[in-house]
Amino acid sequence: MVAEDRYRQRNEGSRLLRSTACGGRCRRQPGRPAKRLTSAVAPEADVSDGHGQPLAPPRAIAEGGLIANVYVRQKKRMSFRKVNIIIWVLAVVLFLLVLHHNFLSLSSLLKNDVSDSGIVGLQPIDLIANVHQHPVNERQEEIPVVIAASEDRLGGTIAAINSIHQNTRSNVIFYIVTFNSTADHLRSWLNSGSLKSIRYKIVNFDTKLLEGKVKADPDQGESMKPLTFARFYLPILVPSAKKAIYMDDDVIVQGDILALYNTPLKPGHAAAFSEDCDSASTKVIIRGAGNQYNYIGYLDYKKERIRKLSMKASTCSFNPGVFVANLTEWKRQNVTNQLEKWMKLNVEEGLYSRTLAGSITTPPLLIVFYQQHSTIDPMWNVRHLGSSAGKRYSPQFVKAAKLLHWNGHFKPWGRAASYADVWEKWYIPDPTGKFSLIRRHMDTSNIK
């Protein structure tokens, strides 16, 4: 009885062991004896490696292998992702480099391009920036001074530049407008003597700019020369400046140019001129040329287009030989376009006075700036020194003037100009010998 119980228990244990080992899926097939489990097979918790150390059960081993495979796959995926990220980052960097290069190219193009009505023809020739002979505060705002330089009047340009340079410690740069044929002569002159230390930029003026805007008039003489119109294109000549000074070549400066540059301009005004009704040059009459102090001396009020402008004929005119320009406002109002418009209309309809009192550049400026300009100190444009051979001002007044202007037919490098000795103090002889002063023997002996 006892033996049978033990046999039954043993068989029951064998079935349990087999069922456990097979995961509950083992079935004894009919007609085949059940395989007897040996003592080597034991429950998962009892399997060892023979040294007393338990071994992982088969199921655990299978699960461990699966985890290892998953880990390897994940690692491969992570590596692949890293490679993708690196490639993406490199692509972004390359894109940014290309974009930066294109931006620099565009910036360079915009800097070299001429804006303001899309006009071309004013091209820089060179820029010389040397060390000044006297201390200059480089932190000061740069003062652009624009001046024309024609071959036959080059001595006047040199004297004007020298007088400005010697009377200021400000950071001045000269924009000298000329032709390619004159550039070498001008450069050799500027590189001699005391002018070696100035900063300047030579700009070539293309006469094609004036096609259809100016008609030949032998009666106008000097005023018809192309460089006379350089003042109309200031924003193109000095594209990066907000403010600039323009002056003719027949002047000398006896004051600090900084004072003129600091002339206050009213809001909305693109320029400041010296009016012809000021105390220094009131109501000058030029023989055979009419009044040189009001609008009727420059414009033909018989023309309907002029009358439609509703400008009073008695309005005081101004002199455009010296002025300060707000280039930001100039560009905003498209002043250059407006001036060119009236130049073209004059060619078509003859709007200027037949007895034009002054320069041919004055009428369009008078129209565009009618009651829309500020004024400079009259002492910064003491003019009409070239209107006659006589001395119309006292020596004391001439000495006190900040700027002397020989507008008119008698130039200070000529034979009969008044106060030519004052001008000649600033003149530097031409090292090439091409330009020479015209002097009478008596005039030379009187120069101090």
mmCIF file of all heavy atoms in Angstrom, residues 397-441:
data_model
loop_
_atom_site.group_PDB
_atom_site.id
_atom_site.type_symbol
_atom_site.label_atom_id
_atom_site.label_comp_id
_atom_site.label_asym_id
_atom_site.label_seq_id
_atom_site.Cartn_x
_atom_site.Cartn_y
_atom_site.Cartn_z
ATOM 1 N N PHE A 397 36.766 144.381 -44.303
ATOM 2 C CA PHE A 397 35.632 143.485 -44.512
ATOM 3 C C PHE A 397 36.085 142.180 -45.171
ATOM 4 O O PHE A 397 35.647 141.090 -44.793
ATOM 5 C CB PHE A 397 34.575 144.169 -45.379
ATOM 6 C CG PHE A 397 33.372 143.320 -45.644
ATOM 7 C CD1 PHE A 397 32.398 143.135 -44.665
ATOM 8 C CD2 PHE A 397 33.203 142.685 -46.871
ATOM 9 C CE1 PHE A 397 31.294 142.350 -44.905
ATOM 10 C CE2 PHE A 397 32.098 141.899 -47.116
ATOM 11 C CZ PHE A 397 31.137 141.724 -46.131
ATOM 12 N N VAL A 398 36.970 142.287 -46.125
ATOM 13 C CA VAL A 398 37.494 141.095 -46.811
ATOM 14 C C VAL A 398 38.244 140.203 -45.832
ATOM 15 O O VAL A 398 38.122 138.979 -45.862
ATOM 16 C CB VAL A 398 38.415 141.512 -47.986
ATOM 17 C CG1 VAL A 398 39.181 140.316 -48.528
ATOM 18 C CG2 VAL A 398 37.591 142.170 -49.083
ATOM 19 N N LYS A 399 38.978 140.807 -44.924
ATOM 20 C CA LYS A 399 39.728 140.041 -43.939
ATOM 21 C C LYS A 399 38.797 139.319 -42.963
ATOM 22 O O LYS A 399 39.088 138.203 -42.509
ATOM 23 C CB LYS A 399 40.672 140.961 -43.163
ATOM 24 C CG LYS A 399 41.581 140.234 -42.191
ATOM 25 C CD LYS A 399 42.546 141.210 -41.518
ATOM 26 C CE LYS A 399 43.467 140.484 -40.555
ATOM 27 N NZ LYS A 399 44.420 141.434 -39.887
ATOM 28 N N ALA A 400 37.657 139.924 -42.655
ATOM 29 C CA ALA A 400 36.716 139.342 -41.704
ATOM 30 C C ALA A 400 35.838 138.258 -42.325
ATOM 31 O O ALA A 400 35.239 137.447 -41.607
ATOM 32 C CB ALA A 400 35.828 140.435 -41.118
ATOM 33 N N ALA A 401 35.770 138.232 -43.652
ATOM 34 C CA ALA A 401 34.911 137.255 -44.330
ATOM 35 C C ALA A 401 35.393 135.829 -44.066
ATOM 36 O O ALA A 401 36.595 135.557 -44.003
ATOM 37 C CB ALA A 401 34.889 137.546 -45.821
ATOM 38 N N LYS A 402 34.439 134.914 -43.938
ATOM 39 C CA LYS A 402 34.771 133.495 -43.742
ATOM 40 C C LYS A 402 35.070 132.808 -45.072
ATOM 41 O O LYS A 402 35.868 131.880 -45.135
ATOM 42 C CB LYS A 402 33.613 132.773 -43.041
ATOM 43 C CG LYS A 402 33.224 133.360 -41.694
ATOM 44 C CD LYS A 402 34.361 133.239 -40.694
ATOM 45 C CE LYS A 402 33.940 133.773 -39.332
ATOM 46 N NZ LYS A 402 35.051 133.709 -38.341
ATOM 47 N N LEU A 403 34.416 133.292 -46.123
ATOM 48 C CA LEU A 403 34.640 132.733 -47.464
ATOM 49 C C LEU A 403 34.514 133.844 -48.491
ATOM 50 O O LEU A 403 33.546 134.613 -48.477
ATOM 51 C CB LEU A 403 33.614 131.630 -47.750
ATOM 52 C CG LEU A 403 33.749 130.879 -49.078
ATOM 53 C CD1 LEU A 403 33.307 129.411 -48.914
ATOM 54 C CD2 LEU A 403 32.934 131.531 -50.195
ATOM 55 N N LEU A 404 35.487 133.930 -49.375
ATOM 56 C CA LEU A 404 35.498 134.917 -50.448
ATOM 57 C C LEU A 404 35.205 134.224 -51.771
ATOM 58 O O LEU A 404 35.776 133.169 -52.071
ATOM 59 C CB LEU A 404 36.860 135.618 -50.513
ATOM 60 C CG LEU A 404 37.258 136.420 -49.263
ATOM 61 C CD1 LEU A 404 38.691 136.928 -49.395
ATOM 62 C CD2 LEU A 404 36.294 137.591 -49.038
ATOM 63 N N HIS A 405 34.310 134.831 -52.550
ATOM 64 C CA HIS A 405 33.829 134.185 -53.778
ATOM 65 C C HIS A 405 34.001 135.134 -54.963
ATOM 66 O O HIS A 405 33.383 136.189 -55.019
ATOM 67 C CB HIS A 405 32.347 133.816 -53.585
ATOM 68 C CG HIS A 405 31.804 132.947 -54.679
ATOM 69 N ND1 HIS A 405 30.488 132.516 -54.693
ATOM 70 C CD2 HIS A 405 32.372 132.420 -55.800
ATOM 71 C CE1 HIS A 405 30.284 131.763 -55.749
ATOM 72 N NE2 HIS A 405 31.416 131.706 -56.451
ATOM 73 N N TRP A 406 34.834 134.741 -55.928
ATOM 74 C CA TRP A 406 35.093 135.552 -57.120
ATOM 75 C C TRP A 406 34.151 135.152 -58.258
ATOM 76 O O TRP A 406 34.609 134.857 -59.364
ATOM 77 C CB TRP A 406 36.552 135.403 -57.552
ATOM 78 C CG TRP A 406 37.520 136.233 -56.769
ATOM 79 C CD1 TRP A 406 37.995 137.470 -57.098
ATOM 80 C CD2 TRP A 406 38.146 135.895 -55.519
ATOM 81 N NE1 TRP A 406 38.870 137.928 -56.143
ATOM 82 C CE2 TRP A 406 38.989 136.968 -55.153
ATOM 83 C CE3 TRP A 406 38.083 134.797 -54.665
ATOM 84 C CZ2 TRP A 406 39.754 136.986 -53.995
ATOM 85 C CZ3 TRP A 406 38.838 134.801 -53.512
ATOM 86 C CH2 TRP A 406 39.663 135.887 -53.179
ATOM 87 N N ASN A 407 32.849 135.121 -57.978
ATOM 88 C CA ASN A 407 31.929 134.831 -59.075
ATOM 89 C C ASN A 407 31.856 136.053 -59.995
ATOM 90 O O ASN A 407 31.935 137.194 -59.561
ATOM 91 C CB ASN A 407 30.531 134.474 -58.540
ATOM 92 C CG ASN A 407 29.908 135.603 -57.749
ATOM 93 O OD1 ASN A 407 30.565 136.226 -56.921
ATOM 94 N ND2 ASN A 407 28.628 135.880 -57.998
ATOM 95 N N GLY A 408 31.731 135.784 -61.276
ATOM 96 C CA GLY A 408 31.779 136.861 -62.264
ATOM 97 C C GLY A 408 32.867 136.569 -63.290
ATOM 98 O O GLY A 408 33.470 135.490 -63.308
ATOM 99 N N HIS A 409 33.124 137.508 -64.122
ATOM 100 C CA HIS A 409 34.071 137.303 -65.225
ATOM 101 C C HIS A 409 35.531 137.436 -64.809
ATOM 102 O O HIS A 409 36.421 136.923 -65.489
ATOM 103 C CB HIS A 409 33.783 138.311 -66.354
ATOM 104 C CG HIS A 409 32.429 138.152 -66.970
ATOM 105 N ND1 HIS A 409 32.064 137.047 -67.702
ATOM 106 C CD2 HIS A 409 31.327 138.962 -66.950
ATOM 107 C CE1 HIS A 409 30.813 137.168 -68.110
ATOM 108 N NE2 HIS A 409 30.341 138.334 -67.672
ATOM 109 N N PHE A 410 35.804 138.129 -63.725
ATOM 110 C CA PHE A 410 37.196 138.408 -63.343
ATOM 111 C C PHE A 410 37.651 137.418 -62.257
ATOM 112 O O PHE A 410 37.313 137.570 -61.081
ATOM 113 C CB PHE A 410 37.333 139.848 -62.842
ATOM 114 C CG PHE A 410 36.912 140.874 -63.864
ATOM 115 C CD1 PHE A 410 35.620 141.389 -63.859
ATOM 116 C CD2 PHE A 410 37.804 141.319 -64.835
ATOM 117 C CE1 PHE A 410 35.226 142.328 -64.791
ATOM 118 C CE2 PHE A 410 37.413 142.260 -65.774
ATOM 119 C CZ PHE A 410 36.125 142.766 -65.760
ATOM 120 N N LYS A 411 38.400 136.427 -62.672
ATOM 121 C CA LYS A 411 38.846 135.382 -61.757
ATOM 122 C C LYS A 411 40.188 135.767 -61.113
ATOM 123 O O LYS A 411 41.015 136.463 -61.731
ATOM 124 C CB LYS A 411 38.974 134.049 -62.486
ATOM 125 C CG LYS A 411 37.664 133.560 -63.104
ATOM 126 C CD LYS A 411 36.568 133.421 -62.055
ATOM 127 C CE LYS A 411 35.252 132.964 -62.663
ATOM 128 N NZ LYS A 411 34.152 132.943 -61.668
ATOM 129 N N PRO A 412 40.440 135.296 -59.902
ATOM 130 C CA PRO A 412 41.658 135.713 -59.187
ATOM 131 C C PRO A 412 42.954 135.187 -59.800
ATOM 132 O O PRO A 412 44.028 135.696 -59.473
ATOM 133 C CB PRO A 412 41.444 135.145 -57.778
ATOM 134 C CG PRO A 412 40.492 134.011 -57.959
ATOM 135 C CD PRO A 412 39.594 134.416 -59.083
ATOM 136 N N TRP A 413 42.872 134.198 -60.664
ATOM 137 C CA TRP A 413 44.079 133.726 -61.346
ATOM 138 C C TRP A 413 44.261 134.458 -62.680
ATOM 139 O O TRP A 413 45.199 134.181 -63.419
ATOM 140 C CB TRP A 413 44.005 132.217 -61.584
ATOM 141 C CG TRP A 413 42.735 131.743 -62.260
ATOM 142 C CD1 TRP A 413 42.482 131.709 -63.598
ATOM 143 C CD2 TRP A 413 41.563 131.248 -61.611
ATOM 144 N NE1 TRP A 413 41.208 131.239 -63.825
ATOM 145 C CE2 TRP A 413 40.625 130.931 -62.616
ATOM 146 C CE3 TRP A 413 41.207 131.043 -60.280
ATOM 147 C CZ2 TRP A 413 39.358 130.419 -62.344
ATOM 148 C CZ3 TRP A 413 39.950 130.538 -60.005
ATOM 149 C CH2 TRP A 413 39.037 130.229 -61.024
ATOM 150 N N GLY A 414 43.343 135.399 -62.938
ATOM 151 C CA GLY A 414 43.434 136.177 -64.168
ATOM 152 C C GLY A 414 44.161 137.495 -63.966
ATOM 153 O O GLY A 414 44.834 137.730 -62.955
ATOM 154 N N ARG A 415 43.980 138.389 -64.903
ATOM 155 C CA ARG A 415 44.794 139.593 -64.938
ATOM 156 C C ARG A 415 44.237 140.739 -64.103
ATOM 157 O O ARG A 415 44.995 141.514 -63.527
ATOM 158 C CB ARG A 415 44.955 140.058 -66.398
ATOM 159 C CG ARG A 415 45.830 141.285 -66.579
ATOM 160 C CD ARG A 415 46.077 141.617 -68.040
ATOM 161 N NE ARG A 415 47.007 140.683 -68.648
ATOM 162 C CZ ARG A 415 46.674 139.744 -69.536
ATOM 163 N NH1 ARG A 415 45.410 139.603 -69.919
ATOM 164 N NH2 ARG A 415 47.588 138.945 -70.047
ATOM 165 N N ALA A 416 42.905 140.870 -64.003
ATOM 166 C CA ALA A 416 42.349 142.093 -63.433
ATOM 167 C C ALA A 416 41.411 141.857 -62.247
ATOM 168 O O ALA A 416 40.561 142.702 -61.970
ATOM 169 C CB ALA A 416 41.609 142.852 -64.525
ATOM 170 N N ALA A 417 41.528 140.768 -61.540
ATOM 171 C CA ALA A 417 40.615 140.484 -60.430
ATOM 172 C C ALA A 417 40.970 141.314 -59.202
ATOM 173 O O ALA A 417 42.146 141.606 -58.930
ATOM 174 C CB ALA A 417 40.680 139.005 -60.076
ATOM 175 N N SER A 418 39.945 141.689 -58.441
ATOM 176 C CA SER A 418 40.177 142.422 -57.196
ATOM 177 C C SER A 418 40.619 141.456 -56.102
ATOM 178 O O SER A 418 40.209 140.291 -56.069
ATOM 179 C CB SER A 418 38.895 143.149 -56.776
ATOM 180 O OG SER A 418 37.856 142.217 -56.505
ATOM 181 N N TYR A 419 41.466 141.945 -55.242
ATOM 182 C CA TYR A 419 42.009 141.181 -54.123
ATOM 183 C C TYR A 419 42.640 139.853 -54.568
ATOM 184 O O TYR A 419 42.565 138.839 -53.875
ATOM 185 C CB TYR A 419 40.923 140.916 -53.077
ATOM 186 C CG TYR A 419 40.528 142.163 -52.324
ATOM 187 C CD1 TYR A 419 39.307 142.784 -52.588
ATOM 188 C CD2 TYR A 419 41.373 142.734 -51.380
ATOM 189 C CE1 TYR A 419 38.939 143.948 -51.913
ATOM 190 C CE2 TYR A 419 41.022 143.888 -50.697
ATOM 191 C CZ TYR A 419 39.807 144.492 -50.965
ATOM 192 O OH TYR A 419 39.470 145.654 -50.292
ATOM 193 N N ALA A 420 43.275 139.879 -55.712
ATOM 194 C CA ALA A 420 43.958 138.679 -56.201
ATOM 195 C C ALA A 420 45.103 138.295 -55.267
ATOM 196 O O ALA A 420 45.468 137.110 -55.165
ATOM 197 C CB ALA A 420 44.494 138.920 -57.611
ATOM 198 N N ASP A 421 45.667 139.279 -54.571
ATOM 199 C CA ASP A 421 46.766 138.994 -53.653
ATOM 200 C C ASP A 421 46.287 138.147 -52.467
ATOM 201 O O ASP A 421 47.028 137.299 -51.959
ATOM 202 C CB ASP A 421 47.391 140.296 -53.151
ATOM 203 C CG ASP A 421 46.371 141.221 -52.509
ATOM 204 O OD1 ASP A 421 45.197 141.201 -52.949
ATOM 205 O OD2 ASP A 421 46.732 141.955 -51.576
ATOM 206 N N VAL A 422 45.042 138.362 -52.026
ATOM 207 C CA VAL A 422 44.481 137.563 -50.928
ATOM 208 C C VAL A 422 44.309 136.115 -51.375
ATOM 209 O O VAL A 422 44.633 135.178 -50.643
ATOM 210 C CB VAL A 422 43.126 138.150 -50.472
ATOM 211 C CG1 VAL A 422 42.501 137.272 -49.397
ATOM 212 C CG2 VAL A 422 43.308 139.575 -49.976
ATOM 213 N N TRP A 423 43.818 135.941 -52.593
ATOM 214 C CA TRP A 423 43.634 134.588 -53.136
ATOM 215 C C TRP A 423 44.974 133.883 -53.319
ATOM 216 O O TRP A 423 45.118 132.687 -53.019
ATOM 217 C CB TRP A 423 42.895 134.682 -54.478
ATOM 218 C CG TRP A 423 42.735 133.368 -55.178
ATOM 219 C CD1 TRP A 423 41.722 132.475 -55.037
ATOM 220 C CD2 TRP A 423 43.634 132.798 -56.138
ATOM 221 N NE1 TRP A 423 41.932 131.372 -55.842
ATOM 222 C CE2 TRP A 423 43.110 131.558 -56.531
ATOM 223 C CE3 TRP A 423 44.846 133.220 -56.705
ATOM 224 C CZ2 TRP A 423 43.727 130.727 -57.467
ATOM 225 C CZ3 TRP A 423 45.468 132.389 -57.631
ATOM 226 C CH2 TRP A 423 44.907 131.157 -58.002
ATOM 227 N N GLU A 424 45.983 134.635 -53.793
ATOM 228 C CA GLU A 424 47.252 134.014 -54.162
ATOM 229 C C GLU A 424 48.017 133.463 -52.960
ATOM 230 O O GLU A 424 48.897 132.616 -53.109
ATOM 231 C CB GLU A 424 48.113 135.028 -54.923
ATOM 232 C CG GLU A 424 49.266 134.383 -55.669
ATOM 233 C CD GLU A 424 49.869 135.319 -56.707
ATOM 234 O OE1 GLU A 424 49.228 136.343 -57.046
ATOM 235 O OE2 GLU A 424 50.975 135.006 -57.177
ATOM 236 N N LYS A 425 47.681 133.907 -51.752
ATOM 237 C CA LYS A 425 48.340 133.364 -50.559
ATOM 238 C C LYS A 425 48.056 131.874 -50.389
ATOM 239 O O LYS A 425 48.830 131.161 -49.742
ATOM 240 C CB LYS A 425 47.872 134.122 -49.319
ATOM 241 C CG LYS A 425 48.387 135.548 -49.216
ATOM 242 C CD LYS A 425 48.086 136.151 -47.866
ATOM 243 C CE LYS A 425 46.597 136.219 -47.582
ATOM 244 N NZ LYS A 425 46.315 136.899 -46.275
ATOM 245 N N TRP A 426 46.956 131.411 -50.973
ATOM 246 C CA TRP A 426 46.565 130.007 -50.829
ATOM 247 C C TRP A 426 46.886 129.183 -52.061
ATOM 248 O O TRP A 426 46.703 127.958 -52.065
ATOM 249 C CB TRP A 426 45.062 129.925 -50.534
ATOM 250 C CG TRP A 426 44.677 130.707 -49.323
ATOM 251 C CD1 TRP A 426 44.029 131.907 -49.277
ATOM 252 C CD2 TRP A 426 44.965 130.369 -47.966
ATOM 253 N NE1 TRP A 426 43.884 132.342 -48.000
ATOM 254 C CE2 TRP A 426 44.439 131.402 -47.158
ATOM 255 C CE3 TRP A 426 45.601 129.287 -47.344
ATOM 256 C CZ2 TRP A 426 44.542 131.397 -45.781
ATOM 257 C CZ3 TRP A 426 45.695 129.276 -45.967
ATOM 258 C CH2 TRP A 426 45.167 130.323 -45.193
ATOM 259 N N TYR A 427 47.387 129.852 -53.085
ATOM 260 C CA TYR A 427 47.696 129.149 -54.330
ATOM 261 C C TYR A 427 49.021 128.397 -54.204
ATOM 262 O O TYR A 427 49.998 128.897 -53.645
ATOM 263 C CB TYR A 427 47.762 130.156 -55.486
ATOM 264 C CG TYR A 427 48.228 129.569 -56.791
ATOM 265 C CD1 TYR A 427 47.398 128.735 -57.533
ATOM 266 C CD2 TYR A 427 49.511 129.844 -57.278
ATOM 267 C CE1 TYR A 427 47.826 128.197 -58.740
ATOM 268 C CE2 TYR A 427 49.949 129.319 -58.487
ATOM 269 C CZ TYR A 427 49.097 128.484 -59.212
ATOM 270 O OH TYR A 427 49.533 127.956 -60.390
ATOM 271 N N ILE A 428 49.059 127.186 -54.734
ATOM 272 C CA ILE A 428 50.274 126.377 -54.774
ATOM 273 C C ILE A 428 50.667 126.203 -56.235
ATOM 274 O O ILE A 428 49.862 125.725 -57.047
ATOM 275 C CB ILE A 428 50.045 124.992 -54.127
ATOM 276 C CG1 ILE A 428 49.683 125.160 -52.646
ATOM 277 C CG2 ILE A 428 51.268 124.107 -54.282
ATOM 278 C CD1 ILE A 428 49.308 123.855 -51.968
ATOM 279 N N PRO A 429 51.872 126.608 -56.629
ATOM 280 C CA PRO A 429 52.287 126.518 -58.039
ATOM 281 C C PRO A 429 52.181 125.095 -58.571
ATOM 282 O O PRO A 429 52.392 124.116 -57.855
ATOM 283 C CB PRO A 429 53.745 126.994 -58.004
ATOM 284 C CG PRO A 429 53.821 127.861 -56.801
ATOM 285 C CD PRO A 429 52.899 127.246 -55.788
ATOM 286 N N ASP A 430 51.832 124.995 -59.829
ATOM 287 C CA ASP A 430 51.667 123.705 -60.499
ATOM 288 C C ASP A 430 53.037 123.048 -60.704
ATOM 289 O O ASP A 430 53.898 123.614 -61.378
ATOM 290 C CB ASP A 430 50.977 123.923 -61.849
ATOM 291 C CG ASP A 430 50.696 122.621 -62.578
ATOM 292 O OD1 ASP A 430 50.992 121.540 -62.039
ATOM 293 O OD2 ASP A 430 50.151 122.704 -63.701
ATOM 294 N N PRO A 431 53.275 121.866 -60.134
ATOM 295 C CA PRO A 431 54.585 121.218 -60.301
ATOM 296 C C PRO A 431 54.861 120.808 -61.751
ATOM 297 O O PRO A 431 56.016 120.637 -62.137
ATOM 298 C CB PRO A 431 54.484 119.990 -59.386
ATOM 299 C CG PRO A 431 53.024 119.725 -59.244
ATOM 300 C CD PRO A 431 52.362 121.064 -59.297
ATOM 301 N N THR A 432 53.801 120.655 -62.548
ATOM 302 C CA THR A 432 54.003 120.262 -63.947
ATOM 303 C C THR A 432 54.217 121.471 -64.854
ATOM 304 O O THR A 432 54.657 121.320 -65.992
ATOM 305 C CB THR A 432 52.786 119.473 -64.467
ATOM 306 O OG1 THR A 432 51.642 120.343 -64.544
ATOM 307 C CG2 THR A 432 52.459 118.306 -63.543
ATOM 308 N N GLY A 433 53.884 122.676 -64.360
ATOM 309 C CA GLY A 433 54.050 123.893 -65.150
ATOM 310 C C GLY A 433 52.948 124.126 -66.174
ATOM 311 O O GLY A 433 53.015 125.091 -66.959
ATOM 312 N N LYS A 434 51.913 123.279 -66.197
ATOM 313 C CA LYS A 434 50.843 123.441 -67.185
ATOM 314 C C LYS A 434 49.948 124.647 -66.872
ATOM 315 O O LYS A 434 49.444 125.295 -67.783
ATOM 316 C CB LYS A 434 49.985 122.168 -67.243
ATOM 317 C CG LYS A 434 50.724 120.936 -67.736
ATOM 318 C CD LYS A 434 49.792 119.724 -67.736
ATOM 319 C CE LYS A 434 50.516 118.480 -68.221
ATOM 320 N NZ LYS A 434 49.626 117.279 -68.204
ATOM 321 N N PHE A 435 49.748 124.902 -65.582
ATOM 322 C CA PHE A 435 48.872 126.005 -65.183
ATOM 323 C C PHE A 435 49.731 127.141 -64.631
ATOM 324 O O PHE A 435 50.578 126.931 -63.766
ATOM 325 C CB PHE A 435 47.886 125.527 -64.096
ATOM 326 C CG PHE A 435 46.864 126.553 -63.717
ATOM 327 C CD1 PHE A 435 45.615 126.560 -64.321
ATOM 328 C CD2 PHE A 435 47.131 127.520 -62.752
ATOM 329 C CE1 PHE A 435 44.655 127.512 -63.973
ATOM 330 C CE2 PHE A 435 46.194 128.468 -62.398
ATOM 331 C CZ PHE A 435 44.946 128.461 -63.016
ATOM 332 N N SER A 436 49.465 128.326 -65.121
ATOM 333 C CA SER A 436 50.220 129.488 -64.635
ATOM 334 C C SER A 436 49.283 130.669 -64.473
ATOM 335 O O SER A 436 48.267 130.783 -65.174
ATOM 336 C CB SER A 436 51.358 129.847 -65.602
ATOM 337 O OG SER A 436 50.837 130.114 -66.890
ATOM 338 N N LEU A 437 49.616 131.519 -63.532
ATOM 339 C CA LEU A 437 48.806 132.705 -63.272
ATOM 340 C C LEU A 437 49.045 133.754 -64.349
ATOM 341 O O LEU A 437 50.146 133.867 -64.902
ATOM 342 C CB LEU A 437 49.141 133.284 -61.898
ATOM 343 C CG LEU A 437 48.998 132.337 -60.698
ATOM 344 C CD1 LEU A 437 49.355 133.073 -59.411
ATOM 345 C CD2 LEU A 437 47.588 131.778 -60.628
ATOM 346 N N ILE A 438 47.995 134.505 -64.629
ATOM 347 C CA ILE A 438 48.114 135.628 -65.571
ATOM 348 C C ILE A 438 48.186 136.901 -64.745
ATOM 349 O O ILE A 438 47.236 137.262 -64.051
ATOM 350 C CB ILE A 438 46.907 135.683 -66.524
ATOM 351 C CG1 ILE A 438 46.789 134.370 -67.302
ATOM 352 C CG2 ILE A 438 47.034 136.858 -67.486
ATOM 353 C CD1 ILE A 438 45.538 134.283 -68.154
ATOM 354 N N ARG A 439 49.328 137.552 -64.780
ATOM 355 C CA ARG A 439 49.535 138.734 -63.946
ATOM 356 C C ARG A 439 50.181 139.854 -64.753
ATOM 357 O O ARG A 439 51.039 139.615 -65.608
ATOM 358 C CB ARG A 439 50.456 138.391 -62.759
ATOM 359 C CG ARG A 439 49.820 137.443 -61.744
ATOM 360 C CD ARG A 439 48.765 138.176 -60.938
ATOM 361 N NE ARG A 439 48.195 137.340 -59.897
ATOM 362 C CZ ARG A 439 47.066 136.662 -60.019
ATOM 363 N NH1 ARG A 439 46.411 136.698 -61.172
ATOM 364 N NH2 ARG A 439 46.592 135.956 -59.021
ATOM 365 N N ARG A 440 49.751 141.064 -64.434
ATOM 366 C CA ARG A 440 50.447 142.222 -64.960
ATOM 367 C C ARG A 440 51.670 142.462 -64.105
ATOM 368 O O ARG A 440 51.711 142.106 -62.925
ATOM 369 C CB ARG A 440 49.541 143.464 -64.920
ATOM 370 C CG ARG A 440 48.341 143.387 -65.850
ATOM 371 C CD ARG A 440 47.461 144.601 -65.663
ATOM 372 N NE ARG A 440 46.296 144.577 -66.550
ATOM 373 C CZ ARG A 440 45.334 145.462 -66.498
ATOM 374 N NH1 ARG A 440 45.378 146.450 -65.610
ATOM 375 N NH2 ARG A 440 44.303 145.388 -67.349
ATOM 376 N N HIS A 441 52.635 143.143 -64.655
ATOM 377 C CA HIS A 441 53.856 143.418 -63.910
ATOM 378 C C HIS A 441 53.553 144.259 -62.652
ATOM 379 O O HIS A 441 54.064 144.019 -61.567
ATOM 380 C CB HIS A 441 54.868 144.149 -64.793
ATOM 381 C CG HIS A 441 56.156 144.488 -64.074
ATOM 382 N ND1 HIS A 441 57.069 143.523 -63.720
ATOM 383 C CD2 HIS A 441 56.654 145.677 -63.640
ATOM 384 C CE1 HIS A 441 58.084 144.090 -63.089
ATOM 385 N NE2 HIS A 441 57.861 145.419 -63.029
#
